[in-house]
Amino acid sequence: MPSFVLAASAAIILDLVAAANAHLNPQPQSYPQPPSGQAYSPPFYPSPWMDPNAPGWEQAYAQAKDFVSGLTLLEKVNLTTGVGWMGEKCVGNVGTVPRLGLRSLCMQDGPLGLRFNRYNTAFATGLTAAASWSRHLWQDRGTALGSEAKNKGVDVLLGPVAGPLGRNPNGGRNVEGFGSDPYLAGEALARTVVGIQEAGTVACAKHFLLNEQEHFRQVGEANGYGYPIDEALSSNLDDKTIHEVYGWPFQDAVKAGVGSIMCSYNQVNNSYACQNSKLINGLLKEEYGFQGFVMSDWQAQHAGVSTAAAGLDMTMPGDTLFNTGVSFFGSNLTLAVINGTVPEWRIDDMVMRIMAPFFKVGKTINNLVDTNFDSWTDGAYGYVQAAVNENWEQVNFGVDVRADHANHVREAGAKGTVILKNNGILPLQKPKFLTVIGEDAGSNPAGPNGCGDRGCDDGTLAMEWGSGTTNFPYLISPDQALSAQAIQDGTRYESILTNYAESQTRALVSQPDAIAIVFANSDSGEGYINVDGNEGDRKNLTLWKNGDDLIKSVAAVNSKTIVVVHSTGPVILKDYAVHPNISAIVWAGTPGQESGNSLVDILYGKQSPGRSPFTWGPSLESYGTQVMVTPNNGHNAPQDDFSEGSFIDYRYFDKVAPGKPGSSDKAPTYEFGFGLSWSTFEFSNLRIQKNNVGPLTPPTGKTIAAPELGTFSKNLQDYAFPKNIRRIREFIYPYLSSTKSGQLASGDPNYGQTAQQFLPPGANDGSPQPRSPASGEPGGNRQLWDVVYTVTATITNTGKVMDDAVPQLYLSHGGPNEPPRVLRGFDRIERIAPGQSVTFKADLTRRDVSNWDSLKQQWVITNYPKTVYVGSSSRDLPLSARLP
């Protein structure tokens, strides 16, 4: 087990009282620690407040300050609290500020398109987007996502994703993120954030942090599957690995100006992520300099005042459990501010952090698009408060926001398709006879949206299942697109769109001149959906629905077999990699609505393919980690010790099996970063320039004191439920149910005692605070981003066709406990002509060449010799040189 130096905060767990005004204030108590030997997370208080001079946030801060200074306490609380599940049109809405004309802010899934919507685009998943290794495609995707959200009246888009990162190869939601390397994921996350926010929508990077599996993430969900646990899983990890691996992409997002971050369901070192002061206050807000707001995942808040003290700014969807009408915030937060348990500066900072991103992306109260869709009905009319059938009106207006985004989806899907094997059969050139085999090539008989939240595996796989999905406006199946291409070429074409017609399939593909394209898939998604025993996470890495037997059956009688895999992550391909009759293997990912067209563009050589954003191991066990599927701590929180540290995916394979791919039972079948091209490239002329940068200096001085904006009454009568408002059942309000006394309003006999009796030391301290050594600006100390080295290399197209190159730079930090190599640079250089030479350039920042020192709490360039490698994958690195 690693040493748990950083971890997270000792948050106070509060008991919920099932009443309209449940307990917000806990009884005076000592702060419990986990049993001896279990991971523990130290506290970090107070919650840092915004910096008015944070680069990129100055104007937004000023606008937010002007707005928030004019709000009443009730209005401030309304902006921090969701109105309840199905209490408004979006999956999440906060309360309104009608006095100032601010409608309810709308939060909507998701990372590949708007969930519960119509007339919107179904984009490729994050993992398929990552496989393009194209920064401009990532930003274009973000811009399209943000534009569609804005024009639907969505204010905060719940994406992009870097948690899970992909520690476990069978993790159900790995597909929502950008691959299993933190550098690659961080670049993609940041570019997507920039695109979303430049289009006028606040991005929400999620899930923070260590949400690496679906099993045991929520108690209720786990109990429903028959796992008798009382607390959610605890992901236990050391400080160094959090900084260098799992936190890395979120730091990139903060540097890029992300407006919101969603905390996750799981515990981190035995403290729930949404009340984990070390993670939220210490790492995210203080060290990374995050200026936006932290929102809870839906029902991930487990306490009231302690979560506010630990840095939570907004609770979603507002109710403690769906459709209870009871909230940890709402009226409880109002009361806590009145009695001083939550200081005025903290509620002000919560609302500042919510409104500053609103202004930062160009929103104003006057330019907001009305929310013109409803998540809970497909009809034109419906109840605005669908949970309780209140306020019938037109809710869906059929606004089409797709523009020309299908062109991007088609291009990104093609450039995110990876050719893993090709014995010369690809690209196809007007083949005489083409056969297409397998259910995954065809359409779902119930239609592309025939399964709610895509919770099935019927027909071709183009996205995962769960809250990160959207409705397809249409779905081009491979059978449709290949058939159209065949008709255009004069090719004879036949398809069998089932995996179980063995005799007919063998008879068809064994005919003379037949090229057989066999389709198979492997699906996964969010944990609340179970497909064939896969409870979100995949049970294994085999192909579904007899897919492996189908491939072997076809390849036994056809020497021109092409295997196409749609999957949410790696599958076992080791036998196919060496099978003499399998001429090509193509991973087509989960490419969205243009699936078939994207595939045709690759199979026929119209576009250049991508590179794998994860490693293809020979077995599930070969990765060294996999999803924990059996609770290991009795009825208590399952303890998932990340004892492998930074050795995940290719870092682990490079450590235990450094030979050639496929050379042993432990070696990968195909390595991270691998992918075949249409042409060949030569790497030469590696040069390293050391730049003149000074030493890293920590920040000096202290922060400003916590601002208090406006004043508020402490008279309970001022917070009574207004007589002129009809109270809607289950809807969450900021008003007090009782104003006779603080005790009655709170249900707490100790109401009025000082906050110091309830909260950890320092939680309410609004005085100027010292700065941590690695802090400074959004993204951390500005000097972390100094370019210490500039690396260049020459890439020459030595083949016969124009093609894209994807050069990759890896760095060895040296040191006995470091991975052999880690990715630290890449590019996708497009359309390199035969014989043409181009220059690949990569800047190595101070952070890139540093390691995290847990004792110093600082990034440090160690004295170990460091080596740079450049090539076409993590194991094909012809160029290398020591850093001077």
Side-chain angles (χ1 to χ4, degrees):
M1 180 182 294
S3 61
F4 300 102
V5 178
L6 165 76
S9 79
I12 312 165
I13 309 300
L14 307 185
D15 293 327
L16 170 68
V17 175
N21 286 300
H23 280 297
L24 185 69
N25 303 328
Q27 300 302 312
Q29 58 182 290
S30 61
Y31 304 115
Q33 296 187 17
S36 177
Q38 287 189 4
Y40 170 69
S41 184
F44 189 106
Y45 295 98
S47 184
W49 39 91
M50 290 188 71
D51 179 359
N53 299 312
W57 288 85
E58 300 94 337
Q59 181 178 347
Y61 183 96
Q63 290 175 279
K65 182 179 180 182
D66 183 62
F67 180 80
V68 175
S69 296
L71 296 179
T72 67
L73 175 58
L74 290 170
E75 289 167 340
K76 292 173 184 178
V77 170
N78 233 17
L79 288 172
T80 68
T81 308
V83 299
W85 180 244
M86 299 178 68
E88 252 283 0
K89 295 180 180 180
C90 306
V91 297
N93 287 84
V94 294
T96 62
V97 186
R99 181 176 63 88
L100 300 179
L102 180 62
R103 64 154 173 76
S104 174
L105 300 182
C106 167
M107 330 297 154
Q108 193 74 7
D109 300 310
L112 57 73
L114 292 169
R115 187 186 184 198
F116 297 146
N117 256 271
R118 294 136 292 273
Y119 303 104
N120 61 283
T121 303
F123 293 85
T125 60
L127 195 62
T128 299
S132 72
W133 294 63
S134 172
R135 290 179 175 88
H136 81 84
L137 283 178
W138 297 334
Q139 188 160 332
D140 290 348
R141 180 174 178 269
T143 300
L145 284 164
S147 171
E148 294 198 5
K150 177 183 178 181
N151 290 323
K152 283 286 190 177
V154 172
D155 303 300
V156 182
L157 183 65
L158 304 179
V161 174
L165 181 67
R167 174 204 184 213
N168 302 311
N170 56 333
R173 298 180 77 180
N174 294 352
V175 65
E176 295 183 24
F178 297 104
S180 51
D181 177 81
Y183 185 91
L184 180 70
E187 290 287 308
L189 193 74
R191 292 300 179 110
T192 307
V193 163
V194 169
I196 291 171
Q197 298 196 161
E198 285 186 349
T201 300
V202 178
C204 179
K206 61 181 190 178
H207 306 84
F208 189 78
L209 192 65
L210 303 180
N211 181 38
E212 292 295 317
Q213 66 174 60
E214 294 302 283
H215 279 72
F216 320 132
R217 65 180 187 145
Q218 295 190 84
V219 171
E221 185 176 277
N223 293 165
Y225 285 130
Y227 305 110
I229 61 172
D230 297 328
E231 299 290 347
L233 172 142
S234 178
S235 298
N236 303 327
L237 185 55
D238 64 283
D239 184 20
K240 183 176 188 291
T241 309
I242 285 179
H243 278 81
E244 295 182 3
V245 181
Y246 297 96
W248 183 287
F250 289 95
Q251 187 172 9
D252 285 336
V254 173
K255 176 70 173 176
V258 68
S260 66
I261 288 178
M262 182 189 294
C263 51
S264 53
Y265 286 117
N266 55 288
Q267 299 189 70
V268 176
N269 295 329
N270 289 292
S271 174
Y272 277 103
C274 288
Q275 59 197 54
N276 188 316
S277 69
K278 184 60 177 177
L279 282 185
I280 300 176
N281 289 343
L283 184 64
L284 187 58
K285 291 185 174 181
E286 160 60 13
E287 186 183 319
Y288 289 176
F290 176 54
Q291 300 297 305
F293 65 97
V294 175
M295 74 163 70
S296 69
D297 204 339
W298 271 229
Q299 297 184 151
Q301 185 186 24
H302 295 273
V305 68
S306 65
T307 64
L312 184 68
D313 302 301
M314 178 188 289
T315 177
M316 278 289 132
D319 33 16
T320 56
L321 296 173
F322 288 169
N323 305 124
T324 61
V326 178
S327 179
F328 285 119
F329 279 5
S331 58
N332 283 310
L333 185 55
T334 302
L335 193 62
V337 177
I338 294 171
N339 75 5
T341 307
V342 172
E344 182 180 353
W345 64 259
R346 180 66 191 112
I347 186 70
D348 287 346
D349 185 64
M350 292 163 73
V351 184
M352 282 287 295
R353 288 176 173 276
I354 292 167
M355 293 306 301
F358 175 91
F359 293 115
K360 188 177 192 296
V361 302
K363 293 182 181 297
T364 67
I365 294 174
N366 296 324
N367 72 5
L368 281 184
V369 176
D370 287 337
T371 302
N372 52 55
F373 69 94
D374 187 84
S375 297
W376 319 116
T377 179
D378 289 334
Y381 286 80
Y383 292 104
V384 176
Q385 283 75 42
V388 291
N389 294 341
E390 288 272 9
N391 293 319
W392 178 269
E393 62 183 57
Q394 186 173 357
V395 291
N396 284 312
F397 293 84
V399 178
D400 193 330
V401 296
R402 292 174 291 173
D404 62 350
H405 300 157
N407 294 331
H408 164 81
V409 177
R410 180 169 182 165
E411 178 185 2
K415 291 181 176 178
T417 297
V418 183
I419 300 175
L420 297 169
K421 179 180 181 180
N422 183 18
N423 290 343
I425 198 171
L426 297 178
L428 298 173
Q429 298 178 355
K430 296 184 177 181
K432 186 175 183 179
F433 179 26
L434 192 63
T435 66
V436 167
I437 308 298
E439 179 184 322
D440 183 66
S443 301
N444 182 347
N449 303 312
C451 302
D453 284 342
R454 312 299 78 78
C456 64
D457 186 41
D458 299 336
T460 193
L461 176 62
M463 66 173 68
E464 82 286 6
W465 72 68
S467 65
T469 59
T470 186
N471 287 321
F472 290 103
Y474 60 81
L475 175 55
I476 304 296
S477 72
D479 181 52
Q480 287 175 282
L482 286 164
S483 176
Q485 183 68 49
I487 292 170
Q488 178 181 324
D489 292 345
T491 295
R492 177 188 167 197
Y493 182 88
E494 293 189 44
S495 59
I496 298 177
L497 304 180
T498 174
N499 294 0
Y500 301 102
E502 183 175 0
S503 60
Q504 296 94 325
T505 295
R506 290 172 72 98
L508 178 63
V509 302
S510 60
Q511 294 180 30
D513 302 316
I515 294 176
I517 308 180
V518 191
F519 286 79
N521 68 36
S522 180
D523 200 358
S524 68
E526 194 168 1
Y528 68 90
I529 294 176
N530 178 343
V531 180
D532 192 27
N534 296 272
E535 298 163 355
D537 304 311
R538 289 187 288 165
K539 294 183 292 186
N540 50 50
L541 300 185
T542 60
L543 292 165
W544 288 26
K545 291 190 171 181
N546 200 45
D548 287 302
D549 289 342
L550 179 68
I551 292 170
K552 293 172 184 176
S553 178
V554 171
V557 296
N558 184 291
S559 61
K560 297 179 181 179
T561 298
I562 299 170
V563 173
V564 175
V565 173
H566 288 109
S567 72
T568 55
V571 296
I572 304 305
L573 298 175
K574 63 177 182 178
D575 292 341
Y576 311 142
V578 297
H579 197 297
N581 282 358
I582 294 179
S583 299
I585 302 174
V586 177
W587 180 66
T590 37
Q593 68 188 42
E594 289 284 322
S595 176
N597 289 334
S598 296
L599 183 64
V600 164
D601 288 347
I602 288 298
L603 294 181
Y604 284 81
K606 302 175 186 179
Q607 288 278 16
S608 294
R611 306 294 184 268
S612 182
F614 52 82
T615 299
W616 299 79
S619 67
L620 175 59
E621 294 73 22
S622 68
Y623 288 84
T625 62
Q626 57 182 287
V627 170
M628 175 194 288
V629 296
T630 303
N632 62 356
N633 195 24
H635 287 237
N636 301 313
Q639 300 292 305
D640 193 3
D641 297 333
F642 288 40
S643 55
E644 74 285 347
S646 64
F647 290 95
I648 61 170
D649 199 76
Y650 73 91
R651 300 164 177 233
Y652 176 75
F653 283 99
D654 287 351
K655 175 183 177 181
V656 302
K660 292 183 179 180
S663 61
S664 70
D665 291 338
K666 294 183 178 180
T669 306
Y670 300 108
E671 70 269 27
F672 174 84
F674 175 78
L676 298 175
S677 304
W678 300 129
S679 193
T680 56
F681 295 95
E682 178 183 87
F683 291 77
S684 63
N685 198 28
L686 178 64
R687 296 182 181 274
I688 301 174
Q689 173 186 311
K690 184 176 182 180
N691 301 314
N692 185 22
V693 298
L696 179 65
T697 56
T700 58
K702 293 185 176 183
T703 69
I704 63 170
E708 292 186 353
L709 308 175
T711 59
F712 64 92
S713 165
K714 294 189 178 182
N715 184 349
L716 295 181
Q717 301 299 325
D718 294 334
Y719 301 96
F721 200 98
K723 295 180 179 179
N724 62 338
I725 294 180
R726 180 172 62 90
R727 187 165 199 153
I728 296 176
R729 184 168 51 90
E730 294 185 14
F731 198 88
I732 296 170
Y733 300 92
Y735 309 110
L736 303 183
S737 294
S738 172
T739 59
K740 293 182 179 179
S741 72
Q743 285 187 8
L744 290 175
S746 67
D748 183 355
N750 296 298
Y751 174 82
Q753 295 190 42
T754 65
Q756 302 306 319
Q757 294 176 279
F758 300 118
L759 293 174
N764 284 2
D765 183 0
S767 65
Q769 298 295 310
R771 304 176 190 272
S772 66
S775 67
E777 298 177 355
N781 189 321
R782 178 183 52 78
Q783 294 171 310
L784 289 176
W785 304 91
D786 289 342
V787 177
V788 182
Y789 297 96
T790 301
V791 181
T792 58
T794 300
I795 302 172
T796 303
N797 186 340
T798 56
K800 298 179 180 179
V801 297
M802 182 177 290
D803 201 3
D804 297 357
V806 183
Q808 300 163 40
L809 182 150
Y810 294 81
L811 174 71
S812 169
H813 283 96
N817 299 314
E818 301 298 330
R821 288 172 297 280
V822 295
L823 183 70
R824 283 296 183 265
F826 64 87
D827 198 4
R828 181 170 184 133
I829 306 174
E830 299 184 343
R831 300 181 60 80
I832 305 174
Q836 181 184 3
S837 294
V838 296
T839 299
F840 164 58
K841 176 175 174 288
D843 291 329
L844 293 177
T845 66
R846 191 190 307 270
R847 185 178 68 142
D848 289 333
V849 298
S850 297
N851 290 108
W852 180 255
D853 189 315
S854 294
L855 294 178
K856 296 180 179 179
Q857 289 292 289
Q858 182 61 282
W859 291 96
V860 173
I861 301 177
T862 67
N863 292 325
Y864 295 106
K866 294 166 178 49
T867 304
V868 164
Y869 303 85
V870 174
S872 58
S873 75
S874 63
R875 294 204 172 195
D876 184 5
L877 299 166
L879 304 181
S880 64
R882 286 278 179 88
L883 286 180

